[in-house]
Every structure is written in C-alpha cells, then in structure tokens.
Amino acid sequence: MNRTEQLLALLWEQAKRNPKLREKLLASKNAKDPMDDFCQSAKQAGYDISVGELFALGQESSDNQCKSTNGGNPSPYASFEDAYENFISSLE
C-alpha cells in the first residue's frame, strides 16, 4: 500500500467516526472543483493528499491491470479507477 492509499484509509476511518468530517467530505461532490475541495478538507483533518496524488493512484491501478494481462494489454483502458469517487461512494 502506498502513502496515498494509507492516508485515504486513515481518513476514511476518521470520517466514519466523525460525522462532521464525513459530511464535509461528502459535500465536496457539490463543490465547483470536487477533488480540490476534498483535498483541502483532508488537509484540514491532517491528511496531506493532493489532487495529483488522487489521479496518480487511479492511473497506477489502471497501468498495473494492463501490465498484468497475459501478453500485455494492446490498448489502454478508456478510463481508470477514480480514487476520489471510490472514496466518496464508500462513505455514502
């Protein structure tokens, strides 16, 4: 588990115990820039996660899936795991 995954896991645990934090994180869905709002809320809670790290986490997952395909995946996936969306949906 990399640093960002560890921070997201810790943030998730704290949000499950803290209703105000949970609601603040969920409210990021309605922000003008949801991922930036999410990262700012995470930072205020003590978890320094950047938007770039969230994107990179999803991209890495997709890249690893392509590499694990027997013989390699000849064409990349149209999309990749969205760490932000997965986190938010797990809180709902």
Side-chain angles (χ1 to χ4, degrees), residues 1-91:
M1 185 178 289
N2 72 25
R3 176 192 167 276
T4 306
E5 289 173 316
Q6 291 172 343
L7 291 175
L8 287 172
L10 293 169
L11 178 60
W12 187 86
E13 288 294 330
Q14 185 176 346
K16 283 296 196 178
R17 291 188 310 270
N18 182 335
K20 287 184 181 182
L21 175 59
R22 180 180 177 273
E23 290 307 314
K24 189 172 187 177
L25 294 170
L26 289 174
S28 68
K29 294 187 308 184
N30 301 316
K32 183 177 178 181
D33 187 343
M35 291 179 74
D36 184 58
D37 189 78
F38 174 85
C39 290
Q40 292 301 320
S41 296
K43 185 176 277 192
Q44 290 171 0
Y47 302 95
D48 191 15
I49 301 168
S50 72
V51 172
E53 289 171 322
L54 289 178
F55 277 118
L57 185 59
Q59 183 66 47
E60 181 180 358
S61 174
S62 177
D63 289 350
N64 287 340
Q65 288 176 352
C66 288
K67 289 182 220 172
S68 71
T69 304
N70 191 13
N73 188 357
S75 57
Y77 296 111
S79 64
F80 52 87
E81 283 290 313
D82 186 330
Y84 168 74
E85 288 292 333
N86 289 341
F87 185 94
I88 293 297
S89 66
S90 72
L91 276 183

